[in-house]
Amino acid sequence: MPLNCTVAVIGLGYVGSCIAATLATRGAQVSGIDVDPGLVSDLARGESRSHEPGLRETLAEALAAGRLEVTTDISVAAAADVVVIAVGTPVRDDGSLVDDQLRAACLALAPQMRAGQLVLLKSTVPAGTTRSLVRPLLESGGRTAGVDFSLAFTPERLAEGTALADLATLPIVVGGLDEASTRAAADFWRQALDVAVLPQDCLEAAEIVKLADNWWIDLNIALANELAKFCALYQVDVLDVISAANSIPKGNGSVNILMPSVGVGGSCLTKDPWMVWMSARQHGLDIRTAPAGRHVNDGMPEYTAGIVIDELTAAGRAPETATVAVLGLAFKNDTGDLRATPVRGVVTALAKAGAQVRLYDPLVDGAQAERVFGIRPTPALDEAVRDADCVAVLAFHREFADIDFATLPVARPCLLLDGRAYYPKETIDMLRVQGYRYRGIGR
Ligand SMILES: NC(=O)c1ccc[n+]([C@@H]2O[C@H](COP(=O)([O-])OP(=O)(O)OC[C@H]3O[C@@H](n4cnc5c(N)ncnc54)[C@H](O)[C@@H]3O)[C@@H](O)[C@H]2O)c1
């Protein structure tokens, strides 16, 4: 398929907007479709709701070149050679898929479909969903998958903060309904993104690859978090242990324990292991590791708040009279994304203990933060930390690396709680000289 093909991207949220803008700058003629008219008009002006590095510039370039149009009108999908579906796929508390967005997108697309199209599902789904849900919904328009159109599942594996670089480099996994679908999908991504393609035998294999990645990541972080708690019992620095433990070869790499932290958030790692668990359960298989990882990681915000409360108490400062300044509200470094942020659990637990909590995050929209935390963030760092008994760095954005702790107007001694900064030992020694007591997760 030539790179100058036409592509429709259905769902222009975080993933869809990155894909639509990228494909347009790679030469495709892209129609981006979303049911949210406010989002569509923002994107039409080149405004992205996420702080993804490079996304605004890529959108601007795609729009200026006339290669990207955004609309709420699904009928434009009729003209596309390739249709990419990237709508949201949240799960309920019991791990079952909330399939409303996927159903609505497929039902709206079905009557627009024409012979020869290639439909690619990007949204993360429980194993079996492309075959048992997406296929029949698309066929409700009268076209038959594998005959009139090709169908493949090609998961999105990009990570927030590095999305555009990931799109340009990560191998793409492709599993088709049949061999022709797999081949068509593989050819499309190879040409469009110039990346390696990993063809799979079937739809389900590709669906499971995506789930396996996030199952592994979440479980590995859970291991790191429990290792951190274990190290804390012996006043051992967990980062030293991880660094040394990771030095032995294993499989085709080495032991690779990830980093402990204040917790796991975002829209993927918090739900995908539950999709695994529920898919398995529906087939009578009880998977135990996926829920174990989730429970451990979900407990980290409370564990982190517990460190703050214990340290303040040990220093003779009753939590009810203490002020805690939280720097970094997002679920990971260098994003403003508050979806399922573990910082919320820390703030809730500290407030419950009676502490006065102030919030500061230059990447987060103030009104949105107020909705999530019930506290309006403080616009200036100095104001946030003034006379604070504890500064808790819970997302370590790049700009926080420039903070001069020596000049911050905190109360001294002040507790510095490191939830995700992983300060090196020299910095910790310097902080002590500057009047801070340091505690990290497992440090
Ligand atoms: N966020 C990530 O980092 C990430 C990474 C990899 C994979 N994924 C997966 O990609 C998918 C999308 O994730 P996201 O973070 O972009 O979600 P999102 O919630 O940001 O975006 C979903 C978009 O789909 C739109 N939408 C809903 N129903 C629609 C319909 N019927 N027609 C057209 N548009 C519709 C919504 O308005 C919204 O803009 C999910 O399955 C997610 O699990 C996300």
Side-chain angles (χ1 to χ4, degrees), residues 255-387:
V255 169
N256 182 20
I257 302 170
L258 300 177
M259 296 293 244
S261 69
V262 56
V264 169
S267 61
C268 293
L269 293 178
T270 53
K271 76 172 160 87
D272 295 352
W274 288 119
M275 274 190 186
V276 171
W277 177 79
M278 188 43 126
S279 308
R281 205 175 126 102
Q282 285 164 347
H283 289 82
L285 173 67
D286 181 20
I287 287 211
R288 300 187 189 176
T289 51
R294 286 287 64 243
H295 290 310
V296 170
N297 292 333
D298 277 351
M300 291 311 290
E302 203 158 348
Y303 176 78
T304 306
I307 298 175
V308 174
I309 291 162
D310 289 350
E311 288 287 334
L312 288 172
T313 308
R317 196 87 176 103
E320 311 86 66
T321 61
T323 299
V324 180
V326 173
L327 312 190
L329 309 178
F331 83 88
K332 71 189 279 193
N333 302 347
D334 299 315
T335 87
D337 195 339
L338 296 178
R339 288 189 280 186
T341 177
V343 179
R344 184 163 178 254
V346 182
V347 170
T348 304
L350 290 174
K352 197 168 154 207
Q356 196 209 336
V357 183
R358 296 196 205 120
L359 309 178
Y360 175 73
D361 192 321
L363 299 186
V364 165
D365 175 69
Q368 200 194 354
E370 193 168 5
R371 280 195 295 279
V372 172
F373 292 93
I375 301 171
R376 183 92 188 167
T378 310
L381 173 63
D382 274 9
E383 214 183 303
V385 302
R386 189 167 306 284
D387 299 323

Side-chain angles (χ1 to χ4, degrees), residues 3 19 22-23 26 122 156 166-170 172 187-196:
L3 185 56
I19 292 174
T22 298
L23 290 176
R26 298 285 181 126
K122 275 263 162 202
E156 187 46 71
D166 287 350
L167 278 174
T169 50
L170 289 184
I172 297 239
D187 287 349
F188 170 70
W189 287 120
R190 217 178 269 123
Q191 290 182 40
L193 297 178
D194 194 23
V195 292

Side-chain angles (χ1 to χ4, degrees), residues 13-15 34 39 86-89 101 105 123-124 156 268 271 339:
Y14 174 70
V15 167
D34 202 288
L39 173 67
V87 296
T89 48
Q101 296 186 39
S123 307
T124 306
E156 187 46 71
C268 293
K271 76 172 160 87
R339 288 189 280 186

